[in-house]
Amino acid sequence: MSRAEQDALSRTALGVFRLNGQFLAVSEKLAEPAGLTAAWWQVLGAVLPEPLPVAGIARTMGITRQSVQRIADLLVREGLASYEPNPAHRRAKLLAPSEAGRAAIARIDPGHAELAAALVRELGGQDAFDETVRVLDRLSAALEAVEACHQ
């Protein structure tokens, strides 16, 4: 690996770490009026399209199963989600949002839409935002491929 490659990796990692912090901070602000934390919002958001097992949520989010389990249990305790039977696996129940959970997510939507519009403007349009997403997806896929080769 050349020094230029190492520097590019370091700059990329630092940029992603900074983005992560920025997204967490803005997510906390957006989620607060709905009575959620950013982490609760992430987990609920993962199961809005369809119920998922905790391990599936963890894979999607790139965090540990134990972290998701802790949040899922809190969401169920607060009435924002429920565990449902999983036809594919008797012990790995599916997490599903409750009506209260869906309502909480809906309360975030106006602020979420406002932030999305502001980012589109700041990036120079929807095409530029879409390209940003494609680049981040490529980076994630490349990192997964590299990790898979080194296991």
Side-chain angles (χ1 to χ4, degrees), residues 27-94:
S27 295
E28 287 293 342
K29 285 181 189 174
L30 288 172
E32 188 178 24
L36 302 176
T37 66
W40 289 19
W41 180 17
Q42 283 180 302
V43 172
L44 275 175
V47 297
L48 283 178
E50 65 179 343
L52 293 170
V54 167
I57 299 166
R59 272 191 304 279
T60 300
M61 295 173 61
I63 60 176
T64 66
R65 189 199 59 76
Q66 293 85 352
S67 296
V68 175
Q69 186 68 63
R70 184 181 56 78
I71 294 165
D73 289 344
L74 287 169
L75 291 169
V76 169
R77 190 179 74 216
E78 295 295 322
L80 297 167
S82 63
Y83 288 117
E84 298 179 351
N86 183 348
H89 193 289
R90 200 173 20 157
R91 288 183 41 215
K93 298 206 179 309
L94 300 174

Side-chain angles (χ1 to χ4, degrees), residues 75-147:
L75 291 169
V76 169
R77 190 179 74 216
E78 295 295 322
L80 297 167
S82 63
Y83 288 117
E84 298 179 351
N86 183 348
H89 193 289
R90 200 173 20 157
R91 288 183 41 215
K93 298 206 179 309
L94 300 174
L95 185 70
S98 67
E99 286 307 312
R102 288 185 183 281
I105 295 294
R107 287 192 296 278
I108 295 171
D109 198 50
H112 187 260
E114 188 177 305
L115 176 61
L119 285 172
V120 166
R121 284 191 306 276
E122 202 56 40
L123 287 167
Q126 187 64 50
D127 288 343
F129 203 164
D130 292 343
E131 179 60 19
T132 300
V133 173
R134 282 191 292 277
V135 168
L136 290 171
D137 286 344
R138 277 185 42 219
L139 179 60
S140 180
L143 193 53
E144 282 178 8
V146 168
E147 287 176 343

